[in-house]
Amino acid sequence: MHLEIYDECSFTDDQLVAQATIQIPDCVITGGETSDDWHPLSGKQGDGKEGMINLIMNYTPMSGDMSVPAMPGQMPVMVAPQPYIGLMPTIGVPVYSAPAVPTPQAQPPARPPPVTPEDVAQLKEMFPAMDDEIIRSVLEQRGGDKGAATTSLLELTET
């Protein structure tokens, strides 16, 4: 398996940060075991010098003929992993959707806390040339998450 990690840029081409070629262990494919290993990343600094990535791999063969949906309206889908910020655990990525099960009426998502003047002032210290309303707008768009807002403001200042 060849793995590439990119720095996502909003206004320019994404940049390759690191890469690795990783052999999927035979025990995962043939033995149904789970592999939890750290793998070195290579890039501009040299082979194995860009850090490490922890990959947890597991293979479960699908039973039956997957070329035809098992139920009307059920089509195979690929689910893309979601990016995580911070130290959140990773989970496996399902390849096919589960049978449709009626779900109860979902509650509307909770509104994020309102952006306070203190939040704006805290980011204003890092971005003194940035207009307060732009900082407030980015904070609101990011649901009050100061880390995500900081990343967005940094991307704005790079252009």
Side-chain angles (χ1 to χ4, degrees):
M1 164 174 61
H2 185 74
L3 174 74
E4 294 181 342
I5 299 173
Y6 286 85
D7 179 10
E8 182 180 24
C9 300
S10 295
F11 302 107
T12 60
D13 290 337
D14 295 346
Q15 297 177 8
L16 179 66
V17 175
Q19 60 187 349
T21 299
I22 300 163
Q23 179 69 35
I24 299 174
D26 289 334
C27 66
V28 171
I29 296 173
T30 59
E33 296 180 23
T34 298
S35 169
D36 182 356
D37 296 314
W38 286 89
H39 302 275
L41 297 170
S42 301
K44 292 180 182 177
Q45 295 181 14
D47 286 346
K49 295 185 178 182
E50 288 290 337
M52 304 279 284
I53 187 165
N54 179 233
L55 293 179
I56 302 170
M57 294 182 263
N58 183 296
Y59 172 72
T60 305
M62 303 298 285
S63 61
D65 180 15
M66 296 308 289
S67 62
V68 178
M71 297 174 57
Q74 180 186 3
M75 296 299 293
V77 296
M78 180 69 174
V79 179
Q82 297 297 314
Y84 292 109
I85 298 173
L87 299 174
M88 297 183 74
T90 57
I91 57 172
V93 180
V95 176
Y96 290 95
S97 64
V101 176
T103 57
Q105 190 71 318
Q107 296 288 335
R111 293 187 138 199
V115 175
T116 65
E118 292 81 22
D119 295 335
V120 174
Q122 196 173 23
L123 288 178
K124 183 71 172 179
E125 289 177 17
M126 290 188 271
F127 301 96
M130 189 74 62
D131 185 70
D132 288 6
E133 285 306 309
I134 292 174
I135 294 172
R136 176 179 298 286
S137 175
V138 170
L139 267 168
E140 287 172 352
Q141 194 262 338
R142 294 297 182 192
D145 183 344
K146 293 178 195 165
T150 300
T151 302
S152 294
L153 290 167
L154 282 169
E155 288 176 356
L156 285 174
T157 58
E158 289 177 356
T159 57

